[in-house]
């Protein structure tokens, strides 16, 4: 696996890769890679596909506060994980290449970005859409590989690519979890041991929602309340949202009479966690 930083180096590496491979798949990440990211890379690697991984902590998708500075950075371990998962190229963009002095253009996403993550992190999806458009403009991938864990992000980016006439296909990979159910996240490493136990309330709430719906519960608000009650049992956890919504429109569902999705977000101490799960009536 080759590692590049500058746009010139990237261009050279992509020219070499394109001559030897049919397809380029891009796996955009913020680094501090774990088995969830690894699953994205392994999903895309194939005899006719070369995987390009980017690690870039994107400042425009963070709100005010310390989360951006605090976000974990582990470039050496990232290179080891990306290489062993089969990536062909690791691109570690320089800030000055993505946001050069004087740049001022942003992608502004419409109402699909207004609920859930967009409501609790104003401007977040504009930052995500802006950086992803920059990354794919530079790398021109045939395939963009994203994680189901950030389901709203997938829906938002599908909309953005469609609206901006990008033909790139999006591949979605299921949530990778710890054995006890906690969804892997680069932010899990912030959790103190008692917080780590309380963090299980998110996946437990989703499991209870899935079970209730499988057992015939069709009232969206009742399922949302079930999730809130489970998360309320964790004393240091503050729920941001517990929502049952249509998987594609992300509109809240009053009646669950077709495949739906449950979404949760919560803060534990200074750490913010999200998770999601399919609901099948
Ligand atoms: P991040 O580095 O957190 O911005 O995530 C980069 C990509 O990895 C996104 O498409 C995420 O949805 C995906 N991802 C993060 N955690 C997981 C996980 N536990 N399972 C699957 N994909 C994940």
């Amino acid at each position: 696996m080759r590692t590049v930083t500058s746009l010139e180096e990237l261009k050279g590496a992509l020219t070499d890769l394109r001559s030897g491979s049919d397809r380029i798949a891009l796996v955009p990440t913020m680094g501090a890679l774990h088995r969830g990211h690894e699953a994205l890379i392994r999903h895309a690697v194939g005899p006719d596909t070369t995987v390009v991984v980017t690690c870039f902590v994107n400042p425009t998708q963070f709100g005010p506060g310390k989360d951006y500075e605090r976000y974990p950075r582990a470039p050496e371990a990232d290179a080891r994980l990306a290489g062993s998962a089969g990536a062909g190229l690791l691109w570690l963009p320089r800030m000055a290449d993505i946001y050069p002095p004087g740049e001022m253009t942003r992608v502004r996403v419409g109402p699909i970005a207004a609920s859930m993550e967009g409501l609790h992190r104003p401007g977040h999806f504009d930052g995500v859409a802006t950086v992803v458009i920059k990354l794919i403009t530079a790398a021109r991938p045939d395939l963009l590989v994203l994680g189901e864990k950030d389901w709203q992000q997938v829906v938002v980016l599908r909309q953005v690519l469609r609206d901006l006439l990008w033909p790139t296909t999006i591949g979605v990979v299921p949530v990778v979890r710890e054995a006890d159910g906690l969804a892997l996240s680069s932010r899990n490493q912030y959790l103190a041991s008692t917080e780590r136990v309380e963090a299980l309330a998110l996946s437990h709430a989703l499991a209870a929602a899935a079970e209730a719906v499988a057992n015939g519960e069709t009232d969206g608000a009742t399922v949302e309340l079930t999730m809130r009650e489970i998360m309320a049992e964790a004393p240091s956890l503050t729920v941001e949202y517990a929502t049952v919504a249509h998987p594609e429109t992300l509109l809240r569902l009053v009646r669950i009479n077709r495949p739906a999705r449950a979404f949760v977000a919560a803060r534990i101490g200074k750490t913010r966690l999200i998770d999601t799960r399919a609901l099948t009536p």
Side-chain angles (χ1 to χ4, degrees), residues 44-128:
V45 171
D48 58 354
T49 307
T50 299
V51 173
V52 177
V53 177
T54 64
C55 298
F56 180 68
V57 185
N58 173 37
T60 64
Q61 72 187 71
F62 286 84
K66 295 264 184 284
D67 198 27
Y68 169 71
E69 285 95 69
R70 203 168 88 99
Y71 199 83
R73 288 153 171 96
E76 279 118 43
D78 288 349
R80 282 195 297 276
L81 186 143
S84 68
L89 183 67
L90 177 63
W91 177 26
L92 306 174
R94 299 180 307 194
M95 191 60 73
D97 284 326
I98 303 296
Y99 296 109
E103 66 84 41
M104 58 181 77
T105 303
R106 294 289 174 271
V107 178
R108 189 166 56 77
V109 187
I112 197 83
S115 64
M116 297 194 287
E117 288 304 284
L119 189 65
H120 290 270
R121 303 180 73 187
H124 170 69
F125 284 123
D126 292 356
V128 169

Side-chain angles (χ1 to χ4, degrees), residues 27-31 33-37 39-40 61 71 145-150 153 173-177 183-187:
V27 179
T29 81
M30 296 208 297
L33 301 184
H34 51 64
R35 285 186 293 109
H37 301 112
L40 270 57
Q61 72 187 71
Y71 199 83
V145 188
L146 303 171
E148 179 189 302
K149 174 162 173 282
D150 297 273
Q153 173 168 279
V173 176
V175 185
V176 177
R177 298 177 180 283
L184 293 188
S185 164
S186 305
R187 290 186 170 92

Side-chain angles (χ1 to χ4, degrees), residues 159-179:
Q159 181 79 42
V160 169
L161 295 194
R162 193 163 54 235
D163 292 350
L164 298 183
L165 313 182
W166 269 92
T168 317
T169 309
I170 293 184
V172 184
V173 176
V175 185
V176 177
R177 298 177 180 283
E178 302 283 6

Side-chain angles (χ1 to χ4, degrees), residues 109-116 148 150-160 162 170 172 244-253 258-263 276-279:
V109 187
I112 197 83
S115 64
M116 297 194 287
E148 179 189 302
D150 297 273
W151 184 277
Q152 188 177 15
Q153 173 168 279
V154 174
V155 174
V156 163
L157 289 175
R158 270 204 198 109
Q159 181 79 42
V160 169
R162 193 163 54 235
I170 293 184
V172 184
V244 174
H246 186 284
E248 305 308 329
T249 65
L250 305 182
L251 294 173
R252 269 179 84 190
L253 284 179
R258 61 191 145 176
R261 206 155 246 286
F263 300 88
T276 178
R277 184 164 167 159
L279 304 178

